[in-house]
Amino acid sequence: MSLSNDDRYALYHYMRLSRAIEDGAWALAGQGRMVGRLYTGHGQEAIPVGCATALAADDVMAPMYRDMGAHLVRGMEPWEIFAQYMGKRGSSNAGKDSGLHMGDMKRGIIGMISVLPDSLPVAVGVALAFRLRDEARVAMTFFGEGSTSTGAWHEAVNMAAVLDVPLVMICENNGWALSTPAEREFRGATIAERASAYGIAGARVDGNDVEAVHRTAREAVERARSGGGPTLIECVTMRMRGHSIIDPAEYVPPEQLAAWAVRDPIDRLRERLVADGLWDDGREAAMLAEHKGIVDAAIDRAAAMEDPHPQDVYEGVFASDGQTTDTATSDGSTTTGAGA
Amino acid sequence: MSLSNDDRYALYHYMRLSRAIEDGAWALAGQGRMVGRLYTGHGQEAIPVGCATALAADDVMAPMYRDMGAHLVRGMEPWEIFAQYMGKRGSSNAGKDSGLHMGDMKRGIIGMISVLPDSLPVAVGVALAFRLRDEARVAMTFFGEGSTSTGAWHEAVNMAAVLDVPLVMICENNGWALSTPAEREFRGATIAERASAYGIAGARVDGNDVEAVHRTAREAVERARSGGGPTLIECVTMRMRGHSIIDPAEYVPPEQLAAWAVRDPIDRLRERLVADGLWDDGREAAMLAEHKGIVDAAIDRAAAMEDPHPQDVYEGVFASDGQTTDTATSDGSTTTGAGA
Amino acid sequence: MSHVISYLEAIREAMRQAMRDDERVFLIGEDIATYGGVYKVTDGFLDEFGPRRVIDTPIAENAIIGAATGAALVGMRPIAEIQFADFIASGFDPLVNMTSTIHYRWGQPVPLVVRAPAGATWASAGPFHSQSPEAWFAQVPGLKVVMPATPADAKGLLTAAIRDPNPVIFLEQKYLYRRLKGEVPEGEHVVPLGVARIARAGTDATVIAYGTMAHKAELAAQLLADEDDIAIEVVDLRTIVPWDRAAVLASVAKTGRALVVYEAHRTAGFGAEICATIAEEAFAQLDAPVGRLAGLDTPVPAHPAMEAEYLPDEHKIAAALRELVAF
Amino acid sequence: MSHVISYLEAIREAMRQAMRDDERVFLIGEDIATYGGVYKVTDGFLDEFGPRRVIDTPIAENAIIGAATGAALVGMRPIAEIQFADFIASGFDPLVNMTSTIHYRWGQPVPLVVRAPAGATWASAGPFHSQSPEAWFAQVPGLKVVMPATPADAKGLLTAAIRDPNPVIFLEQKYLYRRLKGEVPEGEHVVPLGVARIARAGTDATVIAYGTMAHKAELAAQLLADEDDIAIEVVDLRTIVPWDRAAVLASVAKTGRALVVYEAHRTAGFGAEICATIAEEAFAQLDAPVGRLAGLDTPVPAHPAMEAEYLPDEHKIAAALRELVAF
Ligand SMILES: Cc1ncc(C[n+]2csc(CCOP(=O)(O)OP(=O)(O)O)c2C)c(N)n1
Ligand SMILES: Cc1ncc(C[n+]2csc(CCOP(=O)(O)OP(=O)(O)O)c2C)c(N)n1
Ligand SMILES: [Mg+2]
Ligand SMILES: [Mg+2]
């Protein structure tokens, strides 16, 4: 499972672009142009990117609100993300919900909700359906370490274990759940060690090493695909900004931030690429420029889109008959935008 | 922590009396004289008896529906139990609820509800209050292995661990949750091994050996009382009857029942007492006769009690002001019967 | 072709036919496979459909509902059983926050049925095996709520629920399971959601009810016909969400008098919604205030003497109707 | 002695005084200690009262409510904070099944307050940070439900809630937190649960509301006084359970016209209970059908254009009142 140069470039690209988009969104929010609040994955980019790249096209993933990179890997376009952030009529949630709560079954993305970690039991069901239909498909889902304190988390992990479904569960242990440090969320030393108590495979990996994350995820995905059941992966990282854009996070010790700043996942991969003779300042500058262009164009395109109409609020509470997912094939479903 | 002869007699007495009461209730139910359904702890008597005897008088316990012996240890009188079973006006639940859902703060008993395992988070709060008030008191609670699959279970165990409260959690692993065998409730080898993942003490004990159960519980109670935090104890036993009186339990392999029949906790303690020269047929006959007398008298006394009046239904939805628990002392509360 | 079967058998028949017709349909819940469910509704299903389509789970209402939702999102048509409606509270969050909002938020249908035995038994099932939680779900946009009152409707509405592209809470009336038998069409039988049943035509007053109480209302109407020569119209809503306002208003326009009956706690029960709607929409047609008869604002007590006091029944309904007609 | 403080400061003041007066009172919830709560309601409490009385928990709504219940049973008076009312769904079961029934079942009081910021913000908080779940709890016997509309009431009702021997759901209106300031008595201030406030006297019609909508109703009444010379009486319920039927009926008897306004989803919202009660009890006094204005039967949408369409406000209330008065 060694990574090709192209694989490594892709990992780098997705992480960098994630950050560029989130930086763009941060500025946008500062200008009061966002609908809803901004939560970012600054410093954690290696996890969604490293994991989502381990999936096949017809696998399904249920990301959380910091997983920008996972959306990009699954083919979400930057302008779609900004359209969502601005609550545009033609966006994924059509202005009805906000943030990275974007669902799109064509791309195998389950849209999350705010209640934590409600995508996890849903992902168990996705994986269960794959198993029941004998499809060699895998589901993957992401959650923070704080979310492991919830009952929903336990019920889902335990059910995944008992029903032996092809599911990869990614814990992004970024040290904090809002203002609560990990040691006040749980008393065990790690999340990964819980795996054996559930009777499933577990792993703990440096969440700021995208290649290590990717390898670990790939192993888990292969295990799941070949009937080996679920895996719980703990990716150890650090939340480098406040919980959301309005949180100055004064409760985080500056030393902790400093210690992690030097472990930035983007810098680390770049340094390796440079060391391997695969990257240089020229390429870096070109990528930054390219990404800036992408983000600027995306913002412009999204900004030009139509805003929701007040009357849109009445549409879509219920699906209508014709609209049903009438296929149990591997592409699963036809999707209708919430605004349709 | 060796057991005195009197201690051992007491363990034997409580187990035997539990069974006598449950046998009496079984007959009563057959006569259609019970309100609500009967669930018994046949074959599991060592657990509630061995554990409840490890508590001090001002400790608090939250039992489950099979824990007859725990109620007896805490001073519940057999006639009170039959009054409850018959839904009498002067019973603990005054006919409003049924079965072993009897609460009585004077005796430190939290009344359970049907939803599993809702007493567990409540017991966490009891233990938390003890810690906050610096009282050297302990809370203990009981649940089946099936109940460990629930979100409530996980949230409570995790919170007990993080808040480091003086709580002893007793899992009665009797192999079955209604028709579901333990291996379809969880995939880990044991419940006890979860303890370390939660960062707390754990133990696994032969649940049909009342002395072993008692010693294990006592250790945990002492640990909790001296500030050592919560313990999760798994008592391995077998449900020797159906889930409730109406369940013929045809799904249980006869071999499994046969294998456990020879490990009956009452027989085992008696054999040991006999071997130690502390018990003989005469004593046994006397105790059986005494218990029969207790049960017969209890049934008669309960049967003679008044039935609830239809209008009682309107009483007690809300507590009234005067009735408040206005003390934070170690005896905690004044209790008003539900029927009052 | 029809046959006479019980309410419970009608439910079984709907599920069996759906599972035979559509391989996407599967069952998930506690003790539904080997045991056939606590009320034996799925008895025999494991043998016929095998362990992939009749799945026993751990005790985990949240995960059952969440997992059923996930399976629905990728093309399955799960039927989740919650052992007792009372325990839906343990899986409340996914239903009201996740499952119900998916289509609204991102346009994906969630074809899912959550079945649960609901209501009291008149047999001391007590506070945690007797609840009627329909009002909670009626307050949540995106969930449909069904409460059949007859065997034929149990079959027809469950078939419609399984085919519906939305999450449907199907509250089976455990009191009726074995007690109520009736003619049920043998083959395919679909009763559309949202269309009330005029259970009995009448001119003097309208009773609006659903589930067990629709059954009791029919008994009460018969009592009044027999004893008082009063002609009561009984409107059985069948479904709470959506509910058939037109049928209710048409009946009230005809009779000028309405009594709403439900078994759940009176305060903030779904019947309040019906009363409020009638009061607003049929103001000019009403010859008497809209009456309400419901379960008490207390937990459902175990002892039969109190349980009977708690529950509306045909005699209480008849008494309320006599008063209403005399107004 | 009184001072002018915000709705949020009033809540803080009630809690601070209760904690100073009664050592049994303590706070438990997520991010309430170091962080002072997501809305900073408990800012400074950790410093004043220390970590034993201001307890940060893991993310575990079920265990928070369960544990608070247990502490209440042994003589404490916990105040549990649920970070957003929407997340009460994750701790729904203990509230509706365990906590609410203890006193009924075995006579032990459960003096417990569950505080939660509720309602929409008119600022795009979206479907999971905007809900008004009061109807769920009104349907559950044994829970009291409070929704204050003014700073003075926020303080006085919270003080009463903390002293009440029953579990009380205290739904703070996050829209009002910093927006609404008012005179609040400085020392002890208790507003009894179950007594409505006549926020404004009038003769032409009655608006019944609570929480943010009571505030909006006052604004609407002012609009109608200014622009139309219509005298609206505004009844602010303050508490949903118990609710002050007498005050509502007295006002309706006086004006003959009633409009019920609430922010929650219209169908099966608590307002339906008020409408149903008025329709039944004040039938003879009504000159017009009881009107209802509520949130839509949709999730609360994020985008401001749709959120504004979703929410009742003073203009919509005024329009509905004009129609009502003209009936
Ligand atoms: C059930 C529930 N309770 C509370 C919240 C409020 N909340 C939002 S994010 C958050 C912290 C989450 O921490 P973690 O899971 O570690 O994810 P992170 O934000 O660190 O990525 C909390 C408590 C919620 N969304 N859901
Ligand atoms: C939350 C919840 N779901 C389902 C049930 C129905 N139920 C009652 S007892 C039981 C099995 C419990 O098994 P276990 O915890 O092992 O206890 P045991 O009966 O074996 O002593 C179930 C599923 C319940 N009471 N609560
Ligand atoms: Mg975190
Ligand atoms: Mg068991």
Side-chain angles (χ1 to χ4, degrees):
Chain A
M1 291 208 304
S2 80
L3 288 164
S4 71
N5 290 349
D6 279 349
D7 289 341
R8 299 177 79 193
Y9 287 138
L11 294 176
Y12 190 65
H13 161 77
Y14 284 124
M15 289 200 293
R16 261 243 157 282
L17 183 57
S18 297
R19 190 165 295 176
I21 290 174
E22 293 196 330
D23 284 340
W26 200 278
L28 206 71
Q31 297 156 17
R33 293 169 69 194
M34 269 191 64
V35 169
R37 190 160 292 161
L38 181 64
Y39 304 78
T40 71
H42 277 101
Q44 305 179 208
E45 292 89 348
I47 301 168
V49 169
C51 293
T53 47
L55 293 174
D58 68 350
D59 292 336
V60 168
M61 126 194 137
M64 67 173 282
Y65 46 102
R66 303 200 191 280
D67 294 329
M68 176 64 69
H71 293 77
L72 300 175
V73 170
R74 301 295 299 179
M76 199 76 92
E77 306 271 356
W79 67 266
E80 294 178 276
I81 288 158
F82 283 106
Q84 168 75 7
Y85 277 154
M86 295 187 221
K88 292 298 185 173
R89 196 170 196 222
S91 69
S92 173
N93 288 169
K96 288 168 176 170
D97 198 357
S98 67
L100 286 192
H101 294 196
M102 309 165 78
D104 183 349
M105 290 311 294
K106 284 195 303 301
R107 286 149 166 164
I109 302 175
I110 306 272
M112 75 170 294
I113 64 171
S114 303
V115 192
L116 297 173
D118 283 9
S119 283
L120 172 56
V122 172
V124 172
V126 170
L128 174 64
F130 295 161
R131 217 207 66 189
L132 299 181
R133 297 194 302 236
D134 278 327
E135 294 170 355
R137 295 165 74 189
V138 171
M140 177 182 276
T141 188
F142 301 77
F143 43 81
E145 83 296 340
S147 301
T148 66
S149 305
T150 64
W153 185 85
H154 169 73
E155 289 196 6
V157 176
N158 185 58
M159 192 179 287
V162 169
L163 300 184
D164 204 26
V165 299
L167 176 67
V168 180
M169 299 176 272
I170 311 291
C171 178
E172 310 192 28
N173 183 350
N174 64 3
W176 296 87
L178 222 172
S179 73
T180 307
E183 65 271 19
R184 307 222 40 194
E185 288 288 348
F186 53 89
R187 195 169 146 173
T190 71
I191 295 294
E193 72 188 285
R194 297 189 197 176
S196 72
Y198 286 104
I200 59 172
R204 192 163 200 258
V205 61
D206 178 345
N208 285 21
D209 177 345
V210 69
E211 295 176 281
V213 167
H214 178 80
R215 273 192 302 269
T216 309
R218 207 147 90 182
E219 236 174 77
V221 166
E222 278 163 23
R223 179 180 308 115
R225 204 183 304 289
S226 59
T231 303
L232 173 62
I233 300 176
E234 178 181 5
C235 301
V236 182
T237 184
M238 172 66 191
R239 197 190 72 201
M240 297 302 291
R241 302 229 168 151
H243 173 65
S244 76
I245 192 169
I246 64 157
D247 172 22
E250 284 154 4
Y251 48 82
V252 175
E255 316 80 71
Q256 192 185 6
L257 284 169
W260 282 90
V262 299
R263 307 181 55 200
D264 182 80
I266 298 180
D267 292 348
R268 277 169 74 189
L269 180 57
R270 188 180 55 250
E271 283 156 22
R272 283 196 208 151
L273 292 175
V274 169
D276 294 347
L278 295 169
W279 204 252
D280 58 28
D281 288 354
R283 283 183 164 238
E284 178 71 7
M287 182 177 274
L288 284 176
E290 182 207 338
H291 287 178
K292 185 175 181 323
I294 290 172
V295 169
D296 289 348
I299 292 177
D300 288 348
R301 175 165 176 184
M305 289 168 68
E306 188 183 16
D307 282 322
H309 303 185
Q311 301 299 312
D312 292 349
V313 68
Y314 299 98
E315 302 302 318
V317 174
F318 289 107
S320 48
D321 275 330
Q323 202 187 328
T324 317
T325 358
D326 264 315
T327 163
T329 65
S330 69
D331 102 348
S333 55
T334 35
T335 302
T336 320
Chain B
M1 291 212 304
S2 81
L3 288 164
S4 70
N5 291 349
D6 279 350
D7 288 342
R8 300 176 79 193
Y9 287 138
L11 294 175
Y12 191 65
H13 162 77
Y14 284 124
M15 288 200 293
R16 261 244 157 282
L17 183 57
S18 297
R19 189 164 296 176
I21 290 174
E22 292 195 333
D23 285 340
W26 200 278
L28 207 70
Q31 297 156 15
R33 293 169 68 195
M34 271 190 63
V35 169
R37 191 160 292 161
L38 181 64
Y39 303 80
T40 71
H42 278 99
Q44 304 179 210
E45 292 89 347
I47 302 168
V49 168
C51 292
T53 46
L55 293 174
D58 68 350
D59 292 336
V60 168
M61 123 193 141
M64 65 174 282
Y65 47 101
R66 304 201 190 279
D67 294 330
M68 176 64 70
H71 293 78
L72 300 176
V73 170
R74 300 296 298 179
M76 200 75 94
E77 306 271 356
W79 68 266
E80 294 178 276
I81 288 158
F82 283 107
Q84 167 75 6
Y85 277 154
M86 295 187 218
K88 292 298 184 173
R89 197 170 194 221
S91 69
S92 173
N93 289 168
K96 287 167 176 170
D97 198 357
S98 68
L100 286 193
H101 294 198
M102 309 164 78
D104 182 350
M105 290 311 294
K106 284 196 303 303
R107 286 149 166 164
I109 303 175
I110 306 271
M112 74 169 296
I113 64 172
S114 303
V115 192
L116 296 173
D118 283 10
S119 283
L120 172 57
V122 172
V124 173
V126 170
L128 174 64
F130 295 162
R131 219 207 65 188
L132 299 181
R133 297 194 302 237
D134 278 328
E135 294 170 354
R137 294 165 73 189
V138 171
M140 178 182 276
T141 187
F142 301 77
F143 43 81
E145 84 295 341
S147 302
T148 65
S149 306
T150 65
W153 184 85
H154 169 72
E155 289 196 6
V157 175
N158 185 57
M159 192 178 286
V162 169
L163 300 183
D164 204 26
V165 300
L167 176 66
V168 180
M169 298 175 274
I170 310 292
C171 177
E172 311 192 28
N173 183 350
N174 64 2
W176 296 87
L178 222 169
S179 74
T180 307
E183 65 270 21
R184 307 222 40 194
E185 287 289 348
F186 53 89
R187 194 168 144 173
T190 71
I191 295 294
E193 71 187 288
R194 297 189 195 176
S196 72
Y198 287 104
I200 60 173
R204 192 163 200 256
V205 61
D206 178 345
N208 285 21
D209 177 346
V210 70
E211 295 176 280
V213 168
H214 178 80
R215 274 191 301 269
T216 309
R218 208 145 92 181
E219 236 175 76
V221 166
E222 278 162 22
R223 180 180 307 117
R225 203 181 305 287
S226 60
T231 303
L232 173 61
I233 299 176
E234 177 181 4
C235 302
V236 182
T237 184
M238 173 65 192
R239 197 190 73 202
M240 297 302 290
R241 301 229 168 151
H243 173 64
S244 76
I245 192 170
I246 63 156
D247 172 22
E250 285 154 4
Y251 49 81
V252 175
E255 317 80 71
Q256 192 184 6
L257 285 169
W260 282 89
V262 300
R263 306 182 53 199
D264 183 79
I266 298 180
D267 292 347
R268 277 170 73 189
L269 180 57
R270 190 181 52 251
E271 283 156 22
R272 283 195 208 152
L273 292 176
V274 170
D276 293 349
L278 294 169
W279 204 251
D280 58 28
D281 288 352
R283 285 183 159 236
E284 178 71 9
M287 182 177 274
L288 283 177
E290 183 207 339
H291 286 179
K292 184 176 182 319
I294 290 173
V295 169
D296 289 348
I299 292 177
D300 287 349
R301 177 165 174 182
M305 289 169 68
E306 188 183 17
D307 282 323
H309 303 185
Q311 301 298 313
D312 291 349
V313 67
Y314 299 97
E315 302 304 318
V317 173
F318 289 108
S320 48
D321 275 331
Q323 203 187 328
T324 316
T325 358
D326 264 316
T327 163
T329 63
S330 70
D331 104 348
S333 54
T334 34
T335 302
T336 319
Chain C
M1 280 291 290
S2 77
H3 54 170
V4 174
I5 55 176
S6 71
Y7 184 97
L8 185 149
E9 287 162 337
I11 291 166
R12 199 182 275 158
E13 197 165 282
M15 281 198 285
R16 183 173 282 129
Q17 279 182 10
M19 291 181 75
R20 286 179 183 166
D21 292 351
D22 185 345
E23 61 173 18
R24 300 169 307 175
V25 179
F26 74 100
L27 311 184
I28 183 165
E30 297 158 13
D31 305 298
I32 60 170
T34 327
Y35 198 62
V38 279
Y39 284 100
K40 302 287 173 194
V41 176
T42 53
D43 203 22
F45 279 60
L46 179 62
D47 284 345
E48 179 171 352
F49 299 106
R52 288 199 178 200
R53 300 186 68 195
V54 188
I55 301 175
D56 271 344
T57 68
I59 306 175
E61 285 74 15
N62 189 314
I64 290 170
I65 290 166
T69 300
L73 285 175
V74 290
M76 303 295 282
R77 291 184 163 263
I79 304 177
E81 177 177 303
I82 298 295
Q83 211 157 63
F84 287 90
D86 314 64
F87 306 150
I88 286 188
S90 300
F92 198 67
D93 164 62
L95 263 182
V96 306
N97 281 319
M98 172 61 88
T99 312
S100 64
T101 66
I102 288 175
H103 188 265
Y104 191 70
R105 298 185 309 110
W106 50 283
Q108 185 70 15
V110 184
L112 160 64
V113 177
V114 178
R115 295 175 44 240
T121 55
W122 277 261
S124 298
F128 310 108
H129 294 80
S130 302
Q131 296 174 51
S132 291
E134 69 274 10
W136 290 341
F137 301 112
Q139 166 71 173
V140 179
L143 299 177
K144 296 190 175 180
V145 184
V146 178
M147 289 176 79
T150 68
D153 280 358
K155 177 172 177 182
L157 293 167
L158 183 50
T159 303
I162 295 168
R163 294 180 185 182
D164 200 278
N166 294 287
V168 181
I169 317 286
F170 193 84
L171 296 174
E172 301 173 2
Q173 307 293 282
K174 66 171 92 78
Y175 175 75
L176 303 178
Y177 267 158
R178 292 168 200 280
R179 222 173 242 103
L180 192 64
K181 292 189 160 53
E183 290 279 343
V184 176
E186 267 181 76
E188 168 160 358
H189 174 53
V190 187
V191 174
L193 307 187
V195 181
R197 174 178 72 99
I198 305 302
R200 181 188 182 105
T203 48
D204 295 330
T206 302
V207 190
I208 301 104
Y210 48 85
T212 297
M213 286 301 139
H215 170 67
K216 296 279 181 194
E218 286 192 70
L219 297 179
Q222 189 61 50
L223 279 179
L224 290 191
D226 294 347
E227 295 173 9
D228 305 66
D229 203 24
I230 294 174
I232 297 295
E233 179 142 312
V234 179
V235 180
D236 169 10
L237 283 190
R238 286 172 161 162
T239 66
I240 305 308
V241 181
W243 68 283
D244 193 345
R245 301 156 63 100
V248 169
L249 294 173
S251 177
V252 174
K254 185 169 86 174
T255 63
R257 287 176 157 81
L259 176 72
V260 176
V261 184
Y262 53 106
E263 182 185 323
H265 313 297
R266 176 184 172 101
T267 297
F270 186 76
E273 175 65 32
I274 307 170
C275 293
T277 302
I278 295 172
E280 186 167 8
E281 310 269 323
F283 183 70
Q285 288 99 325
L286 284 175
D287 299 321
V290 184
R292 214 170 9 145
L293 186 65
L296 301 179
D297 286 325
T298 73
V300 185
H303 193 280
M306 290 187 283
E307 190 185 21
E309 183 70 19
Y310 174 94
L311 288 167
D313 62 18
E314 54 270 38
H315 305 291
K316 295 181 197 173
I317 299 171
L321 283 169
R322 283 191 192 99
E323 264 191 53
L324 183 67
V325 170
F327 183 89
Chain D
M1 280 289 289
S2 76
H3 53 171
V4 174
I5 56 175
S6 70
Y7 184 96
L8 186 149
E9 287 162 337
I11 291 166
R12 200 182 274 156
E13 198 166 282
M15 281 199 284
R16 183 173 282 127
Q17 279 182 12
M19 291 181 75
R20 286 180 184 164
D21 293 352
D22 184 346
E23 60 172 20
R24 299 169 306 175
V25 179
F26 74 100
L27 311 183
I28 183 165
E30 298 159 13
D31 304 296
I32 61 169
T34 329
Y35 197 62
V38 279
Y39 284 98
K40 302 288 173 195
V41 176
T42 53
D43 205 21
F45 278 60
L46 179 62
D47 284 346
E48 179 171 353
F49 300 104
R52 287 198 178 199
R53 299 187 67 195
V54 188
I55 302 175
D56 271 345
T57 68
I59 306 175
E61 285 73 15
N62 189 313
I64 290 169
I65 290 167
T69 300
L73 284 175
V74 290
M76 302 296 282
R77 291 182 164 265
I79 304 177
E81 178 178 302
I82 298 296
Q83 212 158 62
F84 287 89
D86 314 65
F87 305 150
I88 286 187
S90 301
F92 198 68
D93 165 63
L95 263 181
V96 307
N97 281 319
M98 171 62 86
T99 312
S100 63
T101 66
I102 288 174
H103 188 266
Y104 191 70
R105 295 185 310 111
W106 49 283
Q108 185 70 16
V110 184
L112 160 65
V113 177
V114 178
R115 294 176 45 239
T121 55
W122 277 263
S124 298
F128 311 108
H129 294 80
S130 301
Q131 296 174 50
S132 291
E134 69 274 10
W136 291 339
F137 301 113
Q139 165 71 176
V140 179
L143 299 176
K144 296 190 176 181
V145 184
V146 178
M147 290 176 80
T150 69
D153 280 358
K155 177 174 177 181
L157 292 166
L158 183 50
T159 304
I162 295 168
R163 294 181 185 181
D164 199 279
N166 294 286
V168 180
I169 317 288
F170 193 84
L171 296 174
E172 301 173 3
Q173 307 293 281
K174 66 172 92 78
Y175 175 75
L176 302 178
Y177 266 157
R178 291 165 201 282
R179 219 171 245 105
L180 193 63
K181 291 188 161 50
E183 291 278 345
V184 176
E186 267 180 74
E188 168 161 358
H189 174 53
V190 187
V191 174
L193 306 187
V195 181
R197 176 178 70 101
I198 306 301
R200 182 187 182 105
T203 49
D204 295 329
T206 301
V207 191
I208 301 103
Y210 49 85
T212 298
M213 286 301 138
H215 171 67
K216 296 281 181 192
E218 286 191 70
L219 298 178
Q222 189 60 49
L223 279 178
L224 290 191
D226 293 347
E227 296 174 8
D228 305 65
D229 205 24
I230 293 174
I232 299 295
E233 178 141 312
V234 179
V235 180
D236 169 10
L237 283 190
R238 285 172 161 163
T239 63
I240 304 309
V241 181
W243 69 283
D244 193 345
R245 301 156 64 99
V248 170
L249 295 172
S251 177
V252 174
K254 185 169 83 171
T255 63
R257 288 176 157 80
L259 176 71
V260 176
V261 184
Y262 54 105
E263 184 186 321
H265 313 297
R266 177 184 172 100
T267 296
F270 186 75
E273 175 65 32
I274 306 170
C275 292
T277 302
I278 296 172
E280 185 167 9
E281 311 270 321
F283 184 69
Q285 289 101 324
L286 285 174
D287 299 321
V290 183
R292 211 167 16 142
L293 187 63
L296 302 178
D297 286 323
T298 74
V300 186
H303 192 281
M306 290 186 284
E307 191 186 20
E309 182 72 19
Y310 175 95
L311 287 167
D313 63 18
E314 54 271 38
H315 306 291
K316 295 180 196 172
I317 299 171
L321 284 169
R322 284 192 191 99
E323 265 191 50
L324 182 67
V325 171
F327 183 90

